[in-house]
Amino acid sequence: MKGILDFIKENVSATFAREVVAVGHRIVHGLDLSQPVLLTPSSLATIKQAAVLAPLHNPPGLQGIEAATEVFSGVPQVAVFDTAFHQTMPSYAYMYGLPYDLYEKQKIRRYGFHGTSHKYLVEQAAVMLGKPVSDINVITCHLGNGSSVAAVRGGKCVDTSMGLTPLEGLLMGTRCGDMDPAVVLHIQNQCGLSAKETDTLLNKKSGLLGLTGSNDLRTVIEGAAKGEPRSQLGLDMFTYRVRKYIGAYTAALDGKVDAVVFSAGIGENSPFIRKLIAEPLHTMGMQLDAAANDKAVGRAGVISAPGSRVRLLVIPTDEELSIAEQTLQVVKGGASASGAAAA
Ligand code: ADP
């Protein structure tokens, strides 16, 4: 943090440190916290408690908070949670079919991630559709190295593809996504893998990487074009699963979908992947406009045909902006934030 501050002071603004009114932190797991919070001993305790469920993310997040508190002393620190936006999911969407005790005692349930991105995408979709967020139903597809889909009714998330951890759902760069949980037991029993080794296998060696040898979808697309069967398989699996979730979430929204949004590294930059996902969905009222699709690369655009019942949108995500906006809101509205900070 000190290194970053020194760099900014030298290259951007010498008075930067004095201009900072608050620091917003992206924290992956916030258990059942549904809003960004001002960091206090009690909210810090929640983040520490949630570290069991996000061991790779929450501890470094806490270190970031500690460092920022030291470097920007006296400035309010705010945590914005990846899980927060999904807290509106109904229990029938967030519960697993496990003994209820595990939910009560261990907090085992589906939480969902990429919430800051899905929230931002829905807000931007509302602007593009010219309607209030409360009046639209949207399916947001955040497709990057980590990928997830969310079903959002009137601005509130009703389902999302990631679960207790970011492993559930779509096929990802290195994560397996949905599968029969018995596969885990089988791998451990038959291949003698420990819990830690299995965790590494599922999170870091699976997905596109495990299937094709590369976690970079561009390499997979190139391989498929050259006729490599495993690259073709990876491509088919990736696009099929996104399509399957769009179908499932259309049902979750009672068939009333105003827009499907594509975002993140893959969703923003690959007309080819968007075409593979969207074209077969024309019978569900999603009609792609080939020329508009080709043009929307790295920028926002409507890529559905004029008569399409469901609008297809490309929206570059901006989690940093969303974190900054949410942080400012907390600081402005927060009783314990100082007046100076809100200026
Ligand atoms: P992260 O989850 O790490 O933030 P990004 O949102 O940056 O990931 O997305 C990274 C992914 O985007 C990589 O798999 C990369 O292959 C993919 N990607 C970027 N540009 C393209 C493109 N033009 N075509 C296909 N995939 C792309």
Side-chain angles (χ1 to χ4, degrees):
M1 289 303 285
K2 192 170 175 313
I4 292 169
L5 183 59
D6 288 344
F7 177 87
I8 295 174
K9 273 188 194 161
E10 255 171 56
N11 296 282
V12 185
S13 155
T15 55
F16 180 75
R18 270 178 278 135
E19 292 158 15
V20 172
V21 296
V23 180
H25 297 266
R26 177 188 179 184
I27 300 294
V28 164
H29 220 304
L31 291 177
D32 49 8
L33 288 174
S34 59
Q35 298 291 333
V37 291
L38 193 67
L39 286 166
T40 59
S42 127
S43 52
L44 278 167
T46 305
I47 298 172
K48 280 182 196 145
Q49 205 191 346
V52 186
L53 299 176
L56 298 179
H57 296 98
N58 276 27
L62 283 161
Q63 284 178 338
I65 292 167
E66 235 169 71
T69 309
E70 209 176 301
V71 171
F72 298 99
S73 89
V75 171
Q77 310 278 326
V78 173
V80 179
F81 301 103
D82 261 27
T83 46
F85 182 62
H86 305 303
Q87 277 296 309
T88 47
M89 279 194 284
S91 51
Y92 57 77
Y94 73 66
M95 286 300 287
Y96 288 118
L98 291 167
Y100 201 78
D101 261 13
L102 287 172
Y103 166 62
E104 285 187 312
K105 296 195 180 130
Q106 310 283 342
K107 298 188 181 291
I108 294 180
R109 51 158 282 184
R110 307 182 61 254
Y111 289 94
F113 298 87
H114 290 144
T116 307
S117 176
H118 289 293
K119 174 177 159 48
Y120 177 81
L121 295 175
V122 171
E123 288 163 358
Q124 293 303 308
V127 173
M128 285 173 79
L129 298 179
K131 287 185 180 174
V133 158
S134 53
D135 282 3
I136 56 168
N137 290 350
V138 184
I139 297 173
T140 45
C141 307
H142 176 111
L143 309 177
N145 210 5
S147 297
S148 65
V149 185
V152 185
R153 176 185 284 132
K156 294 198 160 56
C157 176
V158 294
D159 207 348
T160 190
S161 58
M162 285 178 167
L164 175 77
T165 75
L167 197 53
E168 192 177 332
L170 300 175
L171 185 80
M172 300 176 226
T174 62
R175 297 178 212 145
C176 61
D178 291 338
M179 65 179 188
D180 182 344
V183 172
V184 176
L185 307 175
H186 196 77
I187 290 172
Q188 294 189 330
N189 291 335
Q190 300 299 315
C191 313
L193 259 59
S194 67
K196 195 163 184 285
E197 288 164 338
T198 312
D199 185 72
T200 305
L201 179 93
L202 301 177
N203 273 296
K204 300 195 173 153
K205 297 184 180 171
S206 297
L208 290 172
L209 177 68
L211 288 159
T212 72
S214 172
N215 67 319
D216 191 320
L217 194 59
R218 284 165 292 199
T219 313
V220 178
I221 294 170
E222 277 167 30
K226 283 188 212 141
E228 289 167 16
R230 288 220 222 150
S231 296
Q232 186 62 51
L233 175 67
L235 193 56
D236 291 343
M237 285 177 68
F238 179 83
T239 51
Y240 172 66
R241 257 194 225 186
V242 179
R243 227 167 33 242
K244 203 161 80 162
Y245 266 99
I246 292 174
Y249 287 174
T250 298
L253 295 169
D254 304 324
K256 294 178 197 140
V257 181
D258 295 290
V260 175
V261 177
F262 294 95
S263 190
I266 298 166
E268 290 165 26
N269 296 309
S270 181
F272 176 65
I273 294 291
R274 294 192 302 245
K275 182 169 171 232
L276 291 180
I277 294 168
E279 243 180 18
L281 299 176
H282 65 93
T283 49
M284 287 168 61
M286 301 172 190
Q287 271 173 314
L288 193 70
D289 179 319
N293 183 38
D294 286 344
K295 267 194 242 156
V297 176
R299 63 176 178 80
V302 179
I303 59 166
S304 47
S308 181
R309 183 159 52 80
V310 178
R311 298 276 205 104
L312 303 173
L313 308 176
V314 174
I315 303 177
T317 195
D318 196 339
E319 288 159 301
E320 287 79 8
L321 176 62
S322 180
I323 290 170
E325 285 172 352
Q326 293 184 63
T327 298
L328 202 58
Q329 261 174 24
V330 169
V331 169
K332 276 184 175 166
S336 48
S338 76

